[in-house]
Every structure is written in structure tokens, then in C-alpha cells.
């Protein structure tokens, strides 16, 4: 049994995430992204590697999309409508709501602005989205009889999810992109402590440790405030979803605190609509925003209003959010042309801009003139501020997640090759977990171990469970505690509770684990008891006042008998009293010499586990060594034990052989 | 309303209580004690209402509460996720409330003419009473019935408004309120009536905001609105265009400023004893033009006692609130349990047939019931690392191999796991349990093979025929063996071990 991983995208690179995982006869495609850096056939994953014949319905069990970014969902309409995949597709509610906006926006940019041949149409997007089954977080979804999937909160963007998939005993998690620290509108990634064979994780920041984002937020706010205070205009080119809302919350909040009256505008259309989606999907934002939503929905921004084209050249300061993010065209470019020539104004740039965009040109050095085409150029005198917020986890976050989940294997995707190599080394050396970072179109086979299913009898469980329950009870936790504490219960329940039993393996039947006491009855046989015995002589020094006289006489008169044999009461009483005294003396001697406090004293014997000692008065006792004559100063202790305690018994016998009891 | 609640149950208590609740999504697994796994699936009755599957090590149980197949607002009855459990606890008591009219189905709109003094203006609803529903489980019949009822209600409301009367709708189930709100506003629009709709409740603002942010809990049709970028409920739009006004209390000054009659008011409480409905009823109870809409389950006569004389029109309607009696059997057929726990109170109507593949047990309030278990043994997972440590021994007489197993046992997610101990345990070859008997001559031979010399002494006269083997060389030892017991007596440890080994080879053991 094993898990086969075919990396179709985001192998040793960032872009077109797509991993096909086969396990237990099921085949799942995680993400179906496009590469924004290529315009040729490298833009999409090479789907022919999934099925030579193109019969994707037979080749795949389902497709799961982690979030609405184009490098994770961009190729989906192409895959379903052009390649002809008709099987089930899963994504979270927000992703299903927002992905079509992203796809359509991209399609328009490609076709309308660059005049390219389109890879898919608007109808393709709509048809594709109709086939999507929405997922809620933590909901266990049975894709078919054998495959179940579950989404966990990933932070990153609204609706981003890590996906857990299970077939039989094989389990994996595919993280998609995630953020281990909360930001203003999203919580941190959250996942149960699952038992995993494989974790496939993003590694965008495989080696970076990020400092606090508060410093960078302050820096951004200061730059914006300084600009508007000086009467300038701030242009924030951004993609409609994600960063736009994050920055809006940041500014809206700051405006409120600083009592600023300068208008904040949203360029019409997409972003306003996006805010409406965000309001309906508030359940997917951070706890703080959810908690206050009944009073005021955070996405009902107080200071943000829609922008009108006529305002571009209006006088006075303002802040404007405009799409697209890298000033590759569209409205943000239009505004940029107008505002860039004034040194009063400010343009912010996202953390990453694709080569060829104006954003990219502005980032590389500080140009004073940017050529738009052969004939037109823009004088750039405005200030430039580069944002460095990232919704990706840093190296520490990746290490934390890997350690927390402690999977048997880790695959790194969505990162840069040299950094991935370093992270792989860290995961292997620091966490001792096998780690790989395959390149695109590489296939990886991961071996998994298979547990054996057995039956266990009630009696066996009863014997173990008392110990287990004690563990759980001691923890004094109940179901009402938060889920994090709940994992503690599991941990406690996982504490070593030793189980001992006998496994019965019969041909063609499920193996059955039974308690030792059940074996004989199950097999229909009678026990044959095997015991070791030795009648051990011990030196005795007699004190005068004791009734040993009587004891020895009686010993001679009555051969050793078992307790349950009836005899004269008076004799027995005296006998037992004397024997008891001897046993007590032996006990105290043994206790001091062995430092063992577990020796039990029963009516006529000492017991330690199966080791039994009683005073022996049978001079013909078959367990005595014959050459030892019965001396006055010797008392015999008849010992017997089960083979399992042989070592213990031999040690006790040695001690007894060296003893001198004083009575 | 706030006051009486405040006295009985302070707000802090409610908050504290709510903090102890672990919220779950539909289909989310929760595990108690590592051994009981519970999952909730939508039942369709109201927002978040659910049926449960409870799987313990011994039992698999479906707890079936009042369920609706195709509710207008919420996620419907998710029966597919309840399949395959041994036991169904049937606790949909909705048909208890309608025992009187089970023959004509539970829902019908009837006018309470005995209370409204035979008001001839009230439309008879008898035409709407159910005749026969085709025997299908999840058809559209229920939905179309509900729609029919709602549209009848709307026409009554329009009639009242056109006649200059106001309409008072005491708030019951949230789903009904939201549905009525949508349907009524549509009707107003189509009749081009400019009548304000007021919603007066301290929780209305929050509730309306809330239902518009929970697409995951709504019906497919509502979810579609999210995906096409519309608000989930039209009250968002109604408020924008000032057709719906929401106020926390009837005494808000803004409400007084805006007040106009006729109007439509949604307000608590359906008992007619609490909330803004009380003053409003005092205002309208004697107005024959006005209309009061009540859900079934309220005793109209009693409810209206404080407001006598009553001239206001009263329309009482029942909306589906559970599985209809004749659909119980088909539902159970789908769930395919082995045993059904069924309420004793519904027994007379119990549609049990003889050919059912399941049996019934009847429960009643405060009576303990013993339910048989269907499980003999527990299931467990034997982890591979432990499997490798096993040393199976084939038994002579049967086709069985046995092995001693020593490891850790733990419960996780409702399953037992057996794993290798964290610290490797001392494994010994020594057998600890024997069965069968020993043939002394064979034992003597086996001992001789190991270099031990001895003689057999038969002791036939003893009751259980003990046989003694005296070992003389190299060390002295005595072995007493009978049918059920063997005792090895030897001071020398090595010799004892040799004897024990010889014994182990002759006798089945583990």
C-alpha cells in the first residue's frame, strides 16, 4: 500500500498549483491553478499526465480547490469545460462565491486588454461553477463510500482551506496556502491534530522568519497620513479580493481613531460587489470581526465610498483603491497616469509584481519616466511605497505546523527550489520526518503501513478500560471544554495503558484478541498447571521464652497439611499462631533485605505475585533436598511459584538461604 | 418580555451558559471521551436544527427529531447522512399535536368562526384542506402545499389591508416569519399597495443581520443567491427602499413618528401574553377589519381571553413541523435500522407492518428502557509495528495459531488502537499457560535429550494418579506430574530451566 503523488504544478516554483494524489484506489486533484508568468502552454498543468486518453472522469475521483486565487483555481474552467472533466468538484462557500469573480476578471483582462485568444469563456466559468459542491469547515464529506474529505481554516484569504482526505487507513492533508498568524480580517490557520501519512504543504517563505506586521502597518499608515495631510492623493492599486479588504479595514479603523475626514474611495464595480460578498461571508473572517458583526458589520466601512470617474481630477486629498493590483492596465493605470506626475501624491505597490507590469517597473529603482508604449510616457514624480504584507505563513509557521501534525512524510510545494532544499533539511534533521520537494510532472511514491483490523472481546477491553478511564477521569475535563483541551483528553487516553492478551488467528476469520483467562474456554481445553517448588531451609536462633517447643513437637506430630483439611481446632490454632509468628518474622526480614513493600501476608502464607511461602512441617516433603537433615535450628519454608516469576523466586530463595531468623 | 426574562434568568447566566456550549457544524465530528462520536445533520425544521448520529464502541444510533424535507429557508432533512445505524430513536412528536385531524393531514387553515362570531367576511379555508398526498417521500407535494398555504395567507392579508385593517403577525418560528415577510412584500408589490411593514422586537435587528451571514445553513435555493451575488434574504433590499422598518420596542420615538395604519406588524410573542403584540391587540381586538395570524399549537380561545370582546379576524394556520405520519415508514425504510425506539404515545398510529426488517421498542416519558446491543466483540486496529513483534505459535489440534500480545491500547476517535509499547518490553520465550496433559515417559525422554538422567515412579494408588520423575544427574530434581498439574522441584536454576523447556515442548501452551 502506498500514496502516489503526481505534482502537476507548483513543484519547485510558485504558480499553477496542482497535485494529484492516488491512494487506496482513489485519485484526488488538489487545486487546478494557472501560472501567471507564462502565456504559452506552460500556463496550465499538463493534464495529459493524468489520463492519456483524456477520460478524466474515469481517472479522477474528485477535484478539491483550496482558495480563490488564480494560481489555485485558474485552470479549473479550462479543465472542466475544455478538457471535459465532469466529476465532483469541492471548494468552500466563499471560494465558490468569489472564484468566478477572479476568473472573469482575469479573462476580461486577458481578452479585452491584451487582445489574447481566450482559453475559456464567461459561460465556461458559469458552467464550471455550477458543478461545484460547496464545503463548510470541519464538515466531514463522504465523496464516495471510501473517500472522505474535510476542510480546515487556513487563513490566507477568505474561504481558504486546508484539505484532509482519508481513504481506508491512508490519510493526508494538502494545505494550499495558509497563514499561521491572524491578520485584521482573517484568523490564523487551525487544524486538528490528525494522524497523517502525508502532509503536502506550501513553502513560499521556506526560509524567511517575519517580524511583527504591526511595524509595517504603522509605516504604511504613516505614509498615507503624511500624503493626505499634505493635500496629496493616494492611489492603492490592488486586486479586488483579499488585500483590498485588509487594507480597507486598516484605513477605516485608522480614520476613525485619528478622526480623519479625507474620503476613501473604492473604484466602482468589482470591489464594491466584493465587499457585499464579504459581508455575507462574515462567518469566515476572524473571531473579532464575527463577534462584532451583530452590532456593526466590519465590511460596512464608515469612511469608504464609491468612486466616480469625475473625481479623478477633483481637487483635494483622497485615498483610492483601484484594480488591478500591479497597474497592468485598467482603471488603476488610468488613475496612475493622472496622479503620478505630482510629487504630492503617493502610489502604494503590492509586495510582488509580475515582470512587464508598471508595478514591476516602479519597484525596480525609482524611475522618473515610464514609457507606456512607443508614443506615450508618464512622468513619475509621486512617492512610491511598497507594501510588505503577506498572507503566507513564514518558515517558523511551516515548521510549527509540521511539528504539530507530525506526519510520516512531508512534501513541499509552492516555493523556490533552493529555499525548499534548506527547509527539507530542517524538517528531516530537526523533526526527523521524511521530506521531499518534487519538481513539476514528477511522480513520488510514498509507502504507508497498513493497520490490521481485529476483533477484541469485551472481557479484554474491560480489563484494560478501567485503567484507561482512570486516566481520563483524572484529567477532570469534560466535553464542554474547548476543542483544544479536548485533544488533551485524547492525549491522556493515549497515555500508555498496557494491554496484554492473546491473539487468536484462525484461517479465514478475523483475528481476535482475547484475555488470557478466556483462552482455555475458547479453545475448549483444560489448564495444565505448572509450578516450581522448593522447600527452603532457614536458620533459626531460638529465644527461650517462645513456645517453639510446642511448635516443633506439633510439627512432628502433624504432617504438613493444607489449610482446608479439617483438624482439631485447638491444635490448629496453636499451630497457626506459631506459623504466623514465623511468617511475620520472615516477612520483616525479607522486607528489610529486599526493600519490597508488596509482600502480602495471608492466613498461612506469604505471597509476592505467584510466589507463595508457607511453613513446612512435613519432613518427607518431596521438595526438600534429602541430604539436609532436620536440625533443631532449621525451619523449612515450602515455596512454590509460577514459571513467570522464576527469576524473582530464585532471588528470594537465595536471600532466604542466607537468613538467620531470631525467634 | 425583557423584564420577565430578566427576573428569571439574568443575562450573565445566559452568556455563561452559552460559553459552555461547543458549537458544531453540520457533519462535523465531535468525540466524547475518545469513545463516542457524534455528528449533527440538518433536520430542516429551523435554522441549525438537527438530527444526530451517535456512534459508540458498542452502538450506532440515529436520533431522529422533527424533520422537514424541503423547507423554504433552511437546509433540508439530510437523511442520507443518517443511513446505516443499528438503532433509530424516533422522536418526531410533531404528529402528536395533530392527532385530531390525521386523516385529513395535519395542516389546514381554518377560521375560528366560533371566536370571531361567525364573521361572514372571513374566507373559508376548507377548500385548502388536504385530500390525499401521493405516497412519495421527497416529492414536491409538501413544498407546493406550503406555498399554497402561504399564498392563501397573503390573499387574506391583502383583503384586510384593502379593507383598511391592519395585520398583526405574532412571531413564531423564524423560518415562517422570513418566508411570510418575503411573500407578503411580493404580494404588496403586485397589488401596488404602499403599506409599511414593521418588525418590532429587541432581537429583530440582530436576527435579520445574522440570517444574512449564514449561507452554509440555508437551503440550496438561498445559497444560490450567494453565488449569484444577491443578498440571502430580501429583507436587506426591503429595508434599503424603506418598506420594512425594524424597531427594538413599540415605544421607539421613530416608530411613533412613522406610524401609519393600516400596516403589517411582525412582533413577539405568539402566546399573546408578552411583547408588543399585547398593546397592539388591545388596540385592534375590536376592529373587524384587522387580521391576526396565529400558528397552530396555540389555543386561540384561551389566548384571546384577555382581549374580549374579539372582533378582529383570526386566521390560524399550521405549517409542517415534522415528518408526516404516513411518511414515517418510508423514512425508516431508507434509514434501514435494526431496531426503532418509537414513542408510546404515537403507538396507535404506528404504521408498523409485519414485513418490516426492523423491530420496534416503545418508550414513554420517565420510563427506563433496556435496549439490546447488536455488538459481540469490539473492533480494533492492530498497528503494524506491533504486528511485527508477534510470535505466533501454531496449535497442534486445530487450524489455529495464537500469539501473546503485549502493547499499548488507546482509544482514539471511537476506535481502539493497539500499538507497540513506547519502551520495548522484555519479551521472553517462556510460556505461562499450559493445557492438556503430559506423558511421563515422553517427558523422561525429552529430559534425557537434554542430558538429564532420572527415573519414573508411578504412584497408581493415589486418587489422581501422580507420577514422580526423580532426576539424579547432573543435579537432583523432582518432577511430580498429574493430569492437571506438574510441579518441578529443583534447587539448581539451570536444571529447572532445562526441565521447564522440555515440558514446554511436550505440552500445548502459550
Amino acid at each position: 500500500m502506498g500514496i502516489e503523488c503526481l505534482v502537476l504544478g507548483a513543484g519547485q516554483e510558485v504558480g499553477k498549483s496542482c497535485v494529484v494524489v492516488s491512494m487506496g484506489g482513489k485519485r484526488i486533484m488538489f487545486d487546478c491553478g494557472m501560472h501567471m508568468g507564462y502565456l504559452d502552454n506552460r500556463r496550465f498543468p499538463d493534464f495529459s499526465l493524468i489520463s492519456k486518453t483524456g477520460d478524466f472522469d474515469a481517472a479522477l475521483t474528485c477535484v478539491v480547490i483550496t482558495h480563490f486565487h488564480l494560481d489555485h483555481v485558474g485552470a479549473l474552467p479550462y479543465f472542466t469545460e475544455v478538457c471535459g472533466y465532469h466529476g465532483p468538484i469541492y471548494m468552500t462557500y466563499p471560494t465558490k462565491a468569489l472564484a468566478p469573480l477572479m476568473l472573469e476578471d482575469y479573462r476580461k483582462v486577458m481578452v479585452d486588454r491584451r487582445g489574447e485568444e481566450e482559453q475559456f469563456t464567461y459561460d465556461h466559468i458559469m458552467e464550471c461553477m455550477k458543478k461545484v459542491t460547496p464545503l463548510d469547515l470541519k464538515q466531514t464529506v463522504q465523496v464516495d463510500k471510501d473517500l472522505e474529505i474535510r476542510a480546515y481554516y487556513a487563513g490566507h484569504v477568505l474561504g481558504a482551506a486546508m484539505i484532509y482526505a482519508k481513504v481506508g487507513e491512508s490519510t493526508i492533508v494538502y494545505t494550499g496556502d495558509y497563514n499561521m498568524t491572524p491578520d485584521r480580517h482573517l484568523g490564523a490557520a487551525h487544524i486538528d491534530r490528525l494522524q497523517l501519512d502525508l502532509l503536502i504543504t506550501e513553502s513560499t517563505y521556506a526560509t524567511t522568519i517575519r517580524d511583527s506586521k504591526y511595524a509595517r502597518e504603522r509605516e504604511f499608515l504613516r505614509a498615507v497620513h503624511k500624503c493626505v495631510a499634505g493635500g496629496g492623493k493616494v492611489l492603492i492599486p490592488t486586486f479586488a479580493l483579499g488585500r483590498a479588504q485588509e487594507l480597507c479595514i486598516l484605513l477605516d479603523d485608522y480614520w476613525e481613531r485619528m478622526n480623519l475626514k479625507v474620503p476613501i474611495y473604492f473604484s466602482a464595480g468589482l470591489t464594491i460587489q466584493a465587499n457585499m460578498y464579504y459581508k455575507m461571508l462574515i462567518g469566515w473572517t476572524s473571531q473579532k470581526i464575527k463577534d462584532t458583526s451583530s452590532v456593526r458589520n466590519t465590511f460596512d466601512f464608515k469612511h469608504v465610498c464609491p468612486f466616480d470617474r469625475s473625481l479623478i481630477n477633483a481637487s483635494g486629498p483622497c485615498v483610492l483603491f483601484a484594480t488591478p493590483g500591479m497597474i497592468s492596465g485598467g482603471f488603476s493605470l488610468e488613475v496612475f497616469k493622472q496622479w503620478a506626475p505630482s510629487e504630492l501624491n503617493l502610489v502604494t505597490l503590492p509586495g510582488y509584481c509580475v515582470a512587464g507590469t508598471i508595478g514591476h517597473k516602479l519597484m525596480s529603482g525609482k524611475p522618473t519616466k515610464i514609457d507606456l508604449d512607443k508614443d506615450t510616457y508618464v512622468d513619475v514624480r509621486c512617492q512610491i511605497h511598497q507594501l510588505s504584507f503577506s498572507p503566507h505563513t513564514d518558515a517558523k509557521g511551516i515548521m510549527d505546523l509540521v511539528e504539530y501534525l507530525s506526519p510520516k512524510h512531508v512534501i513541499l510545494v509552492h516555493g523556490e527550489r533552493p529555499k525548499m532544499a534548506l527547509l527539507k533539511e530542517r524538517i528531516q534533521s530537526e523533526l526527523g520526518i521524511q521530506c521531499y520537494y518534487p519538481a513539476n510532472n514528477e511522480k513520488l511514491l510514498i509507502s504507508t503501513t497498513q493497520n490490521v483490523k481485529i476483533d477484541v472481546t469485551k472481557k479484554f477491553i474491560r480489563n484494560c478500560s478501567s485503567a484507561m478511564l482512570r486516566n481520563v477521569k483524572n484529567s477532570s475535563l469534560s466535553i464542554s471544554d474547548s476543542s483544544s483541551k479536548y485533544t488533551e483528553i485524547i492525549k491522556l487516553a493515549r497515555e500508555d495503558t498496557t494491554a496484554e492478551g492473546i491473539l487468536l488467528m484462525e484461517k479465514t476469520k478475523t483475528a481476535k484478541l482475547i484475555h488470557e483467562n478466556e483462552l482455555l474456554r475458547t479453545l475448549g481445553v483444560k489448564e495444565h498447571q505448572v509450578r516450581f517448588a522448593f522447600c527452603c531451609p532457614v536458620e533459626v536462633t531460638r529465644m527461650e521464652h517462645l513456645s517453639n517447643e510446642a511448635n516443633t513437637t506439633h510439627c512432628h506430630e502433624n504432617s504438613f497439611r493444607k489449610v482446608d483439611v479439617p483438624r482439631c481446632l485447638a491444635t490448629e490454632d496453636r499451630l497457626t499462631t506459631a506459623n504466623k509468628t514465623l511468617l511475620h518474622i520472615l516477612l520483616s526480614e525479607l522486607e528489610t533485605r529486599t526493600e519490597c513493600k508488596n509482600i502480602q501476608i495471608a492466613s498461612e502464607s506469604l505471597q509476592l505475585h505467584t510466589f507463595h511461602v508457607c511453613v513446612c512441617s512435613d519432613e518427607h516433603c518431596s521438595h526438600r533436598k534429602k541430604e539436609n537433615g532436620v536440625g533443631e535450628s532449621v525451619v523449612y519454608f515450602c515455596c512454590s511459584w509460577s514459571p513467570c516469576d522464576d527469576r524473582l523466586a530464585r532471588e528470594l530463595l537465595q536471600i532466604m538461604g542466607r537468613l538467620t531468623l531470631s525467634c | 418580555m425583557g423584564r420577565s426574562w430578566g427576573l428569571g434568568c439574568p443575562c450573565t447566566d445566559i452568556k455563561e451558559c452559552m460559553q459552555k456550549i461547543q458549537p458544531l457544524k453540520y457533519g462535523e465530528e465531535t468525540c466524547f471521551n475518545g469513545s463516542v462520536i457524534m455528528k449533527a445533520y440538518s433536520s430542516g425544521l429551523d435554522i441549525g436544527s438537527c438530527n444526530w448520529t451517535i456512534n459508540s464502541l458498542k452502538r450506532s444510533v440515529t436520533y431522529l427529531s422533527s424533520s422537514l424535507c424541503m423547507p423554504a429557508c433552511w437546509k433540508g432533512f439530510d437523511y442520507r447522512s443518517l443511513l446505516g445505524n443499528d438503532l433509530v430513536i424516533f422522536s418526531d412528536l410533531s404528529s402528536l399535536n395533530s392527532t385530531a385531524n390525521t386523516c385529513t393531514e395535519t395542516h389546514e387553515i381554518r377560521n375560528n368562526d366560533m371566536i370571531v362570531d361567525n364573521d361572514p367576511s372571513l374566507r373559508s379555508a376548507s377548500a385548502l384542506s388536504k385530500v390525499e398526498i401521493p405516497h412519495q417521500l421527497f416529492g414536491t407535494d409538501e413544498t407546493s402545499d406550503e406555498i399554497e398555504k402561504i399564498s392563501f395567507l397573503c390573499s387574506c392579508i391583502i383583503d384586510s389591508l384593502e379593507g383598511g385593517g391592519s395585520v398583526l403577525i405574532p412571531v413564531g418560528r423564524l423560518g415562517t416569519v422570513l418566508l411570510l415577510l418575503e411573500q407578503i412584500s411580493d404580494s404588496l408589490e403586485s397589488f401596488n399597495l404602499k403599506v409599511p411593514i414593521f418588525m418590532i422586537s429587541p432581537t429583530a435587528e440582530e436576527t435579520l443581520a445574522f440570517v444574512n451571514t449564514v449561507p452554509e445553513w440555508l437551503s440550496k435555493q438561498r445559497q444560490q443567491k450567494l453565488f449569484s451575488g444577491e443578498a440571502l434574504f430580501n429583507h436587506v433590499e426591503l429595508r434599503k427602499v424603506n418598506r420594512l422598518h425594524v424597531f427594538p420596542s413599540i415605544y421607539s420615538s421613530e416608530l411613533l413618528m412613522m406610524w401609519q395604519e393600516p400596516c403589517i406588524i411582525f412582533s413577539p410573542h405568539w402566546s399573546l401574553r408578552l411583547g408588543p403584540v399585547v398593546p397592539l391587540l388591545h388596540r385592534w381586538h375590536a376592529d373587524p377589519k384587522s387580521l391576526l395570524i396565529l400558528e397552530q399549537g396555540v389555543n386561540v380561545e384561551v389566548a384571546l381571553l384577555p382581549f374580549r370582546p374579539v372582533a378582529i379576524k383570526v386566521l390560524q394556520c399550521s405549517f409542517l413541523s415534522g415528518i408526516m405520519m404516513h411518511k414515517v415508514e418510508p423514512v425508516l425504510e431508507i434509514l434501514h435500522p435494526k431496531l426503532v425506539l418509537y414513542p408510546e404515545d404515537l403507538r396507535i398510529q404506528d404504521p408498523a407492518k409485519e414485513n418490516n426488517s426492523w423491530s420496534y421498542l416503545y418508550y414513554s416519558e420517565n420510563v427506563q428502557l433496556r435496549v439490546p446491543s447488536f455488538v459481540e466483540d469490539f473492533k480494533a486496529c492492530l498497528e503494524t509495528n506491533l504486528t511485527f513483534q508477534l510470535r505466533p505459535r501454531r496449535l497442534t489440534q486445530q487450524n489455529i495459531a495464537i500469539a501473546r500480545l503485549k502493547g499499548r491500547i488507546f482509544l482514539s476517535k471511537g476506535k481502539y488502537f493497539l500499538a507497540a509499547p513506547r519502551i520495548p518490553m522484555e519479551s521472553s520465550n517462556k510460556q505461562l499457560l499450559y493445557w492438556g496433559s503430559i506423558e511421563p515417559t515422553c517427558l523422561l525422554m525429552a529430559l534425557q535429550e537434554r542430558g538429564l538422567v532420572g527415573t519414573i515412579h508411578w504412584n497408581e494408588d493415589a486418587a489422581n494418579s501422580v507420577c514422580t520423575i526423580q532426576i539424579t544427574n547432573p543435579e537432583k530434581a523432582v518432577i511430580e506430574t498429574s493430569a492437571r498439574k506438574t510441579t518441578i522441584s529443583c534447587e539448581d536454576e539451570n536444571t529447572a530451566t532445562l526441565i521447564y523447556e522440555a515440558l514446554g515442548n511436550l505440552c500445548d501452551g502459550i
Side-chain angles (χ1 to χ4, degrees), chain B residues 1 171 199-205 207 246-250 266-268 276:
Chain B
M1 180 180 168
V171 170
M199 194 171 275
I200 309 168
S201 152
T203 57
E205 187 76 47
T207 310
V246 180
F247 300 100
S249 93
I250 198 163
F266 288 90
S267 181

Side-chain angles (χ1 to χ4, degrees), chain B residues 440-493:
Chain B
T441 42
C442 294
L443 177 59
L444 191 65
M445 275 164 68
L447 288 171
Q448 275 164 358
E449 279 168 26
R450 287 172 168 77
L452 302 178
V453 185
T455 48
I456 302 180
H457 302 267
W458 301 93
N459 191 357
E460 298 289 349
D461 3 310
N464 40 2
S465 67
V466 183
C467 166
T468 311
I469 300 176
Q470 299 268 4
I471 305 287
T472 46
N473 203 15
E475 292 288 333
K476 287 201 169 166
V478 178
I479 305 160
E480 291 171 338
T481 179
S482 66
R484 304 283 304 278
K485 187 174 178 177
T486 299
T487 312
I488 304 164
S489 170
C490 175
E491 195 185 11
D492 180 63
E493 201 176 335

Side-chain angles (χ1 to χ4, degrees), chain A residues 541-561:
Chain A
T541 332
R542 285 167 200 285
M543 304 288 188
E544 47 210 44
H545 65 274
L546 277 185
S547 58
N548 272 312
E549 202 73 31
N551 181 28
T552 36
T553 358
H554 283 295
C555 280
H556 286 293
E557 282 168 9
N558 305 281
S559 60
F560 175 76
R561 290 176 201 174

Side-chain angles (χ1 to χ4, degrees), chain A residues 171-183:
Chain A
T171 51
I172 71 158
V173 162
Y174 174 85
T175 66
D177 295 352
Y178 61 102
N179 193 356
M180 294 291 275
T181 49
D183 61 21

